[in-house]
Amino acid sequence: MEEGAQSLGLRLAADIFLLLLLTTAAFYDGCQLATPAPTSADLLNIARNPPDSKPNQGEKDKFSFHSEDLLVTFGPCLRCKSLDVNVEASEFEGDELHDDTKATEKDIALRMALSQLTGDFGKESMLSLQRFFGARRASVISTGSLKLDMALGIGGLPKGRIVEIYGREASGKTTLALHIIKEAQKLGGYCAYLDVENALDPCLAESVGVNTENLLISQPDSAENLLSVVNTLTKSGSVDVIVVDSVAALVPQRELDSLDFLIGGKYDTRSQIMTKALRKIHYSLSRSGTLIIFVNQVRSNVKTGQGFGPTEEVTCGGNALRFYSAVRMRMMRKGLLNTGDKVTGLGVCVQVVKNKLAPAMKKAELGIQFGRGICCESEVLELACEFGVVLRQGNSYFIEGEVLNNKEAAERYLAQNDGVADNIIKSLRSQLFERQT
């Protein structure tokens, strides 16, 4: 009887103390003292393994009270929070409090792992968010056409990437590649042109604006040698633009050595060579800022039509090039440009089929004049009037204090004054692209 009365008295004392604790919890809420508050894991452990109702004699400053479904453990320096009497142990499993100790341990473990990676593989293996976004914001080289730069979305072609320009014959692919070389030379870069087709006209390159004296020109005799040259120049990191014109003209060494292979060849050796070479070139490109441009042609895949419906157009060299290319541009002829009764050029449409740095499937309408290249003056004048760089009233244009009566006179003025055109292009690029970054 005495032991039952003592136990009942102890439970009543616990309930009274619990009620007092609940009424005064607001005063202790948010107060941080020396001893940290018990975590949810501690409460869950206590709920699953409840201690004896008798206090431990070895710990005079710590007590445990069990009142029905609630077990409250506290000490002399406890930080109190609002308590719910009907809280169950399962609620603590999904709502764990933040543990600073675990966060510190994870941070130390991550730093040790990064240090180990640096020691084993070098600094290039360091995982850094700043280095990642720095690589994503690649510097660009203009294509020589503001409309095409706008279609690309980043103001030009990205350095350190592979670009494929493909289309039918006489659609302006080589002209566009020469304009890219011209823009790279304006920035003081070195360029290489690998003329596989043996069709480059130095006079045409000079008329476009390419400095042929500072242009590296080579005519490799086989596909293996050409791709080896590309890999070596890329690893050097000293060349800004490499143009391969074209993939369709690559001839494997095996075909050059054996005439029988031309008759009974079962596999496309060129595709196999491109696949193996592009793996090495892409690895070298990741540590270089070289822009590699592959000019390619299209062929009609007769198997897709089978005599019914249109045939599919495919590029030469297999699927590896389209996989490794960050940008793929397709050029299509739209018509001829006439001046009176004389044909002076052709109109082309450039479609950005693939773009890893901006939205793709955008188009740009360009004009190419025979012997001069892309008609930059007409699109510069059009965009300058649209964005307020050049004032237009009726048929008159006001450019740098000059009044020009018609569009032809304005384009002629821009063609004859390169400094004025460069200032307008610089102003347009600052409005079109710098505000996007």
Side-chain angles (χ1 to χ4, degrees):
M1 292 293 293
E2 294 180 357
E3 293 180 358
Q6 184 177 3
S7 176
L8 180 60
L10 184 60
R11 292 182 60 86
L12 288 176
D15 292 339
I16 294 173
F17 190 87
L18 176 62
L19 181 61
L20 179 62
L21 179 64
L22 291 175
T23 54
T24 58
F27 294 96
Y28 297 95
D29 188 55
C31 301
Q32 181 145 8
L33 300 177
T35 304
T39 62
S40 57
D42 298 332
L43 295 177
L44 182 61
N45 187 22
I46 296 172
R48 290 177 177 175
N49 303 301
D52 299 332
S53 59
K54 295 182 179 181
N56 188 358
Q57 299 297 329
E59 297 181 2
K60 296 182 180 181
D61 57 340
K62 190 172 183 180
F63 303 92
S64 299
F65 296 94
H66 185 269
S67 175
E68 296 180 354
D69 295 331
L70 180 66
L71 180 66
V72 181
T73 303
F74 62 95
C77 298
L78 178 66
R79 180 177 62 184
C80 300
K81 295 288 182 182
S82 304
L83 300 179
D84 187 4
V85 180
N86 296 323
V87 174
E88 296 181 357
S90 60
E91 296 185 8
F92 293 105
E93 296 179 356
D95 188 17
E96 295 186 358
L97 299 177
H98 178 70
D99 193 351
D100 295 336
T101 305
K102 291 184 178 180
T104 305
E105 292 177 355
K106 291 175 64 177
D107 184 67
I108 295 174
L110 177 60
R111 293 179 183 275
M112 292 178 63
L114 293 178
S115 300
Q116 182 178 357
L117 287 174
T118 305
D120 294 342
F121 306 106
K123 293 184 179 180
E124 293 295 332
S125 63
M126 288 293 292
L127 307 177
S128 172
L129 193 64
Q130 184 177 2
R131 289 182 66 247
F132 172 76
F133 283 107
R136 294 285 293 179
R137 291 191 293 266
S139 57
V140 298
I141 297 176
S142 174
T143 60
S145 170
L146 283 175
K147 289 184 178 180
L148 184 54
D149 291 344
M150 293 174 61
L152 290 169
I154 57 175
L157 296 176
K159 299 180 68 175
R161 304 292 198 279
I162 295 177
V163 175
E164 182 184 11
I165 303 175
Y166 68 96
R168 290 186 174 272
E169 66 279 357
S171 58
K173 303 184 295 295
T174 301
T175 303
L176 179 58
L178 290 176
H179 273 274
I180 297 171
I181 292 177
K182 169 189 171 182
E183 297 298 325
Q185 287 182 342
K186 283 184 179 180
L187 301 176
Y190 292 100
C191 303
Y193 191 94
L194 305 182
D195 185 18
V196 188
E197 296 181 351
N198 192 19
L200 177 64
D201 185 7
C203 296
L204 175 62
E206 291 177 356
S207 64
V208 170
V210 176
N211 185 2
T212 56
E213 294 181 358
N214 292 332
L215 179 64
L216 304 175
I217 302 177
S218 177
Q219 296 176 347
D221 54 355
S222 65
E224 291 87 349
N225 293 340
L226 180 137
L227 295 172
S228 178
V229 170
V230 173
N231 187 41
T232 302
L233 293 177
T234 303
K235 283 202 291 188
S236 68
S238 59
V239 181
D240 293 73
V241 178
I242 300 175
V243 176
V244 178
D245 190 8
S246 67
V247 177
L250 292 177
V251 182
Q253 187 65 40
R254 184 178 177 184
E255 293 185 13
L256 295 174
D257 296 339
S258 176
L259 294 177
D260 297 336
F261 184 78
L262 300 177
I263 301 174
K266 183 179 180 181
Y267 300 103
D268 189 358
T269 311
R270 180 173 52 191
S271 300
Q272 296 176 356
I273 294 174
M274 287 290 295
T275 302
K276 294 178 181 178
L278 284 176
R279 287 199 294 262
K280 296 180 62 177
I281 293 173
H282 190 266
Y283 174 78
S284 303
L285 200 61
S286 63
R287 290 162 172 78
S288 173
T290 304
L291 170 62
I292 303 178
I293 300 174
F294 286 95
V295 179
N296 207 348
Q297 296 183 10
V298 294
R299 299 285 188 269
S300 297
N301 190 0
V302 184
K303 297 181 180 179
T304 57
Q306 296 293 335
F308 303 95
T311 59
E312 181 186 0
E313 288 186 348
V314 295
T315 55
C316 304
N319 297 325
L321 182 57
R322 68 174 66 186
F323 171 76
Y324 284 107
S325 297
V327 178
R328 300 182 72 231
M329 297 184 293
R330 181 186 179 187
M331 300 191 66
M332 300 166 286
R333 295 181 60 174
K334 304 296 293 184
L336 299 176
L337 301 180
N338 299 320
T339 302
D341 297 335
K342 185 179 180 181
V343 178
T344 58
L346 66 140
V348 298
C349 176
V350 184
Q351 182 181 15
V352 183
V353 179
K354 178 183 178 181
N355 194 350
K356 287 187 175 181
L357 290 93
M361 304 309 296
K362 293 185 178 181
K363 296 181 179 181
E365 302 283 344
L366 308 180
I368 298 178
Q369 289 186 352
F370 297 146
R372 291 190 62 247
I374 299 175
C375 305
C376 303
E377 295 81 13
S378 59
E379 62 181 37
V380 168
L381 186 62
E382 178 183 349
L383 293 174
C385 295
E386 181 180 351
F387 288 91
V389 180
V390 172
L391 181 61
R392 176 183 178 184
Q393 290 184 354
N395 294 328
S396 300
Y397 296 85
F398 299 89
I399 305 175
E400 297 285 335
E402 297 287 336
V403 181
L404 304 165
N405 296 327
N406 51 50
K407 183 178 180 181
E408 290 76 12
E411 292 179 0
R412 195 180 311 114
Y413 177 79
L414 291 177
Q416 295 174 356
N417 298 271
D418 294 336
V420 177
D422 291 340
N423 292 333
I424 295 175
I425 292 174
K426 187 182 297 184
S427 177
L428 286 172
R429 293 187 67 87
S430 64
Q431 295 187 42
L432 293 172
F433 306 117
E434 291 183 5
R435 63 184 180 183
Q436 297 178 5
T437 58

